[in-house]
């Protein structure tokens, strides 16, 4: 909590040092020595010992399986997902992104990608996308709608359950001079 406590002792076990300082180590809290995680009950061999106690915070994690409350002392969203053994696949997204710092009360959402097939002029392109709209998915696939081009479903609609998007390209008209 931003406090600096100094102790003079021959003790070298992190959990015992915290106890001497009047601090309780809670589950999911993390002890760091020189910025690196250390085991609470293993004696440290360096001297002097500088410890940082990182308290776990309450988070809400939303996945396709629903919401769950999590306590973690992870520094980033990516580190939290790693702690929970959650692996992202190509096209999956997190909100906020995986490099975002963890804060108390944070809401983290994982949007899993789905397979989308984009049909354009007799050719099909398959992508993994977690886009919210058809237009976003088409941009990810490298098939932006230009001019009078249109898609079925429309570009502002959500991704279809069947994963199929048809793109109709407007015919190119010769320029009038």
């Amino acid at each position: 909590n931003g406090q600096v406590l100094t102790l003079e002792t021959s003790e070298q076990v992190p959990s015992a040092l915290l106890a001497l300082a009047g601090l309780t180590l809670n589950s999911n809290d993390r002890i760091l020595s020189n910025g690196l995680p250390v085991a609470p009950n293993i004696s440290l061999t360096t001297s002097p010992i500088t410890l940082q106690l990182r308290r776990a915070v309450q988070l809400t994690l939303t996945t396709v399986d629903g919401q769950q409350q999590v306590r973690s002392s992870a520094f980033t969203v990516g580190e939290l997902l790693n702690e929970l053994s959650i692996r992202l696949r190509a096209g999956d997204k997190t909100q906020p992104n995986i490099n975002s710092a963890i804060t108390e009360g944070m809401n983290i959402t994982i949007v899993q990608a789905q397979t989308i097939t984009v049909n354009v002029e007799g050719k099909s392109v398959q992508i993994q996308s977690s886009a919210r709209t058809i237009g976003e998915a088409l941009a990810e696939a490298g098939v932006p709608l230009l001019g009078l081009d249109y898609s079925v479903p429309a570009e502002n609609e959500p991704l279809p359950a069947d994963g199929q998007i048809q793109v109709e390209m407007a015919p190119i008209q010769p320029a009038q001079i």
Side-chain angles (χ1 to χ4, degrees), residues 118-136:
V118 180
N119 300 299
V120 183
E121 297 182 330
K123 296 178 185 167
S124 293
V125 176
Q126 271 197 343
I127 63 165
Q128 294 293 315
S129 179
S130 56
R132 293 179 313 222
T133 66
I134 300 292
E136 289 175 13

Side-chain angles (χ1 to χ4, degrees), residues 98-144:
I98 61 170
N99 296 318
S100 297
I102 295 289
T103 58
E104 177 72 41
M106 181 179 235
N107 292 310
I108 301 168
T109 301
I110 300 173
V111 180
Q112 288 186 329
Q114 67 182 80
T115 301
I116 301 293
T117 303
V118 180
N119 300 299
V120 183
E121 297 182 330
K123 296 178 185 167
S124 293
V125 176
Q126 271 197 343
I127 63 165
Q128 294 293 315
S129 179
S130 56
R132 293 179 313 222
T133 66
I134 300 292
E136 289 175 13
L138 291 175
E140 287 176 6
V143 186

Side-chain angles (χ1 to χ4, degrees), residues 10-91:
S10 59
E11 182 61 64
Q12 292 186 299
V13 176
S15 59
L17 286 166
L18 292 175
L20 286 172
L23 299 171
T24 310
L25 185 62
N26 301 315
S27 66
N28 298 326
D29 287 348
R30 182 179 304 207
I31 303 172
L32 305 164
S33 176
N34 296 322
L36 299 173
V38 293
N41 297 316
I42 306 254
S43 184
L44 298 175
T45 57
T46 60
S47 186
I49 298 172
T50 301
L51 297 178
Q52 177 187 8
L53 176 59
R54 178 154 171 93
R55 295 286 188 197
V57 296
Q58 186 74 30
L59 309 156
T60 302
L61 180 64
T62 304
T63 66
V64 294
D65 299 325
Q67 280 191 348
Q68 62 179 341
Q69 297 300 308
V70 177
R71 287 196 63 75
S72 175
S73 57
F75 286 96
T76 65
V77 171
E79 190 177 333
L80 170 70
L81 297 180
N82 191 46
E83 266 182 17
L84 299 173
S85 299
I86 296 174
R87 304 289 177 248
L88 298 179
R89 299 174 311 160

